[in-house]
Amino acid sequence: MDFYEAINEANPNQRNLAMTVLEGEYLGEKALFTDDKPVWTSGNPGFFQLHIQELEKIERTEASEISQGIIVIDGTRVFCELLGTGKKFVICGGGHVSVPIIQMGLMIGCHITVLEDRPKFADNARRAGASKVICEPFEEGLKKIKGDGDTFFIIVTRGHRYDQVCLEKIARKPHAYIGMIGSRLRVKKVKEAVIEKGCDPEVVNRIYSPIGLNIGAETPEEIGIAILAEIIDVKNKEKRSFGYSREIMREILKKETGQDGKILATIITRKGSAPRGIGTKMLVLPDGTCVGTIGGGCVESDIFQKALLMLRNSETKAQICHVDMTGQDAEDEGMVCGGVIDVLLEPVTAEKQGQMK
């Protein structure tokens, strides 16, 4: 359990890498590295403690390559996840372009904060479903936003003086993306002004502006689609997993009496057109409900049944399930995606078996 507590307490602005052994006597053992240093390992002694020097060497020399997937350490397969938090949009401006961005951002599971200094437009953002609306001057509102490596800042205000205020504050915060609407001339002037105010030119010159993919968008809805498409492209290049969603972590860390066993299902390999990516998670609870999804359909149903069987049998060992959606049997069952996945099923209990470093 303290592995999940360590993840929950990890600084999102640091590089957090979770590792899980996939085979042999150490199957299911875990470690958490923060900025290339081990902060938690399971076993006493366990696989990661026995290979700590090799792991530190790998982290130092191959840190940019280790993100999401399987590596081999001393002949043993180990699953790696570069951890992120839930994706967050911070939208500066609550005008007509903001509304479709809010709606589509919610559709892909993002937490949406809107900053708008006009009450009428702030109300429009609330009606569109924004998770949080801050109706204050932009400079004051941005003081309440910390930012991190999973925060996407979208500047769509009503004028370049507001753009300048927002960009000057945002460029000094941790972020995954900064995009700003406007003509090239307007954007150029805003960039020059914030650099003169002391913002890092390298950060300012990396912003996405004019914002959005160039698809000839004209209406607010089309512009919103172009912006969201660009953000999805940036997001998916980062290869940071947020499989440990707020909902899953809340359920794992919930203090309960009585039955506390749960099964965490994680996609660890994926080939072809499988419905969800590596690192996607689903938590199966003893009452037959689940939190999260690994893609739905027959695949999820099969994994769900295996997880329930593990709970009924009080299994304490992890296991890996192979699902092939390419053959005739899969076609007969309606598995139309045509991919192949491996899913790690891990019992989660309240027992603590690890060491903080």
Side-chain angles (χ1 to χ4, degrees), residues 67 82 87 149 152 176 233-240:
S67 57
L82 186 59
K87 305 304 178 186
F152 294 74
D233 182 53
V234 172
K235 173 180 74 71
N236 290 344
K237 285 177 180 175
E238 287 298 311
K239 302 300 181 186
R240 279 159 61 101

Side-chain angles (χ1 to χ4, degrees), residues 18-210:
M19 294 184 172
T20 305
V21 179
L22 295 181
E23 58 191 358
E25 61 179 304
Y26 299 110
L27 172 64
E29 286 201 5
K30 293 183 174 293
L32 178 64
F33 282 75
T34 295
D35 286 348
D36 307 341
K37 297 184 183 301
V39 296
W40 191 93
T41 59
S42 61
N44 189 27
F47 177 85
F48 294 105
Q49 293 173 27
L50 295 172
H51 296 84
I52 196 68
Q53 291 183 339
E54 185 176 353
L55 283 162
E56 289 176 339
K57 181 180 178 182
I58 289 172
E59 277 282 273
R60 287 194 300 270
T61 60
E62 302 178 25
S64 62
E65 298 177 14
I66 299 176
S67 57
Q68 193 84 332
I70 295 173
I71 63 172
V72 177
I73 300 173
D74 194 22
T76 300
R77 295 190 309 150
V78 175
F79 178 60
C80 299
E81 298 177 86
L82 186 59
L83 302 179
T85 59
K87 305 304 178 186
K88 300 172 282 291
F89 286 7
V90 176
I91 306 173
C92 297
H96 299 304
V97 171
S98 180
V99 170
I101 299 172
I102 294 168
Q103 294 169 335
M104 289 184 287
L106 292 170
M107 289 174 64
I108 63 171
C110 295
H111 183 278
I112 313 291
T113 298
V114 177
L115 282 69
E116 172 56 63
D117 59 351
R118 300 167 294 177
K120 176 182 176 181
F121 288 89
D123 286 342
N124 289 343
R126 292 188 184 96
R127 282 192 289 270
S131 312
K132 182 178 182 180
V133 177
I134 300 175
C135 187
E136 295 179 6
F138 293 110
E139 185 173 6
E140 295 303 312
L142 282 167
K143 290 179 181 178
K144 300 178 180 180
I145 307 294
K146 291 182 178 180
D148 60 29
D150 292 297
T151 302
F152 294 74
F153 288 96
I154 303 161
I155 303 173
V156 285
T157 76
R158 62 189 181 276
H160 72 271
R161 62 175 172 149
Y162 302 106
D163 293 347
Q164 182 177 325
V165 168
C166 293
L167 183 58
E168 184 183 344
K169 300 301 178 185
I170 291 168
R172 305 178 194 273
K173 298 177 184 289
H175 59 270
Y177 167 97
I178 303 174
M180 186 168 66
I181 203 167
S183 67
R184 295 188 186 279
L185 179 60
R186 168 177 157 181
V187 168
K188 182 174 181 291
K189 289 181 177 179
V190 170
K191 284 183 176 181
E192 290 172 348
V194 299
I195 290 173
E196 286 180 7
K197 293 273 189 145
C199 290
D200 185 342
E202 186 176 344
V203 172
V204 173
N205 289 323
R206 277 203 312 265
I207 73 170
Y208 291 80
S209 192

